[in-house]
Amino acid sequence: MRAEILVLTKKLLNYNHLFMKYYQEARENGTSHDFHEVIKPFANEVKKVSQEWATLLKNWLVKNPQKHLHLKQIDTTLDHIDQLSIQAFFPKTSRSRFLNANRTVEFFLLEILKELEK
């Protein structure tokens, strides 16, 4: 289970970097992508990975309580990831809100990696 969580966490970190890349491209170009062709398939792919990650991580946390990781953080991170996977494609998304959510996700995922790699 630990190895699976590690792989999925790294995959989510990559997605988080992609969110930032897509967001910056959207801001610079001012273009929006087609919702059904690009955004929805990408968001669905991210959602599938993030939900699998959340389920595994919650099970692991229940069996191995951690001082700095809590179940509520998983739900919050999951919500942020869902929002970011869609908002990244829209140039009118609030910059500060997007960046804060992105940093929050990044921080929590890195904390998980630290705990798992101990």
Side-chain angles (χ1 to χ4, degrees):
M1 183 186 311
R2 197 180 192 112
E4 287 175 87
I5 296 170
L6 203 59
V7 167
L8 292 173
T9 303
K10 288 179 181 177
K11 200 169 195 176
L12 289 176
L13 267 172
N14 287 336
Y15 281 136
N16 201 43
H17 295 153
L18 276 177
F19 301 155
M20 184 58 76
K21 177 181 174 249
Y22 293 154
Y23 180 68
Q24 288 170 337
E25 287 173 0
R27 294 281 293 205
E28 288 168 11
N29 303 334
T31 57
S32 293
H33 294 274
D34 183 72
F35 184 78
H36 295 288
E37 294 286 319
V38 178
I39 300 169
K40 193 171 190 310
F42 178 73
N44 288 342
E45 176 187 325
V46 171
K47 189 172 189 82
K48 184 178 176 229
V49 172
S50 64
Q51 294 206 313
E52 183 182 349
W53 167 84
T55 303
L56 288 172
L57 188 58
K58 284 179 181 180
N59 291 336
W60 180 77
L61 259 184
V62 168
K63 294 174 188 164
N64 309 286
Q66 302 295 312
K67 187 176 181 179
H68 301 292
L69 301 177
H70 307 285
L71 293 174
K72 180 76 178 130
Q73 290 173 296
I74 297 169
D75 293 331
T76 302
T77 302
L78 205 54
D79 289 342
H80 285 320
I81 289 171
D82 284 347
Q83 291 170 7
L84 290 169
S85 68
I86 295 170
Q87 291 175 348
F89 294 97
F90 295 97
K92 292 188 172 141
T93 297
S94 165
R95 183 171 174 74
S96 62
R97 188 171 170 186
F98 185 87
L99 293 176
N100 286 339
N102 190 270
R103 283 188 207 115
T104 301
V105 169
E106 181 94 6
F107 177 80
F108 187 64
L109 293 176
L110 290 174
E111 285 299 308
I112 291 167
L113 288 181
K114 277 188 222 168
E115 290 298 324
L116 291 172
E117 292 173 345
K118 279 184 179 177

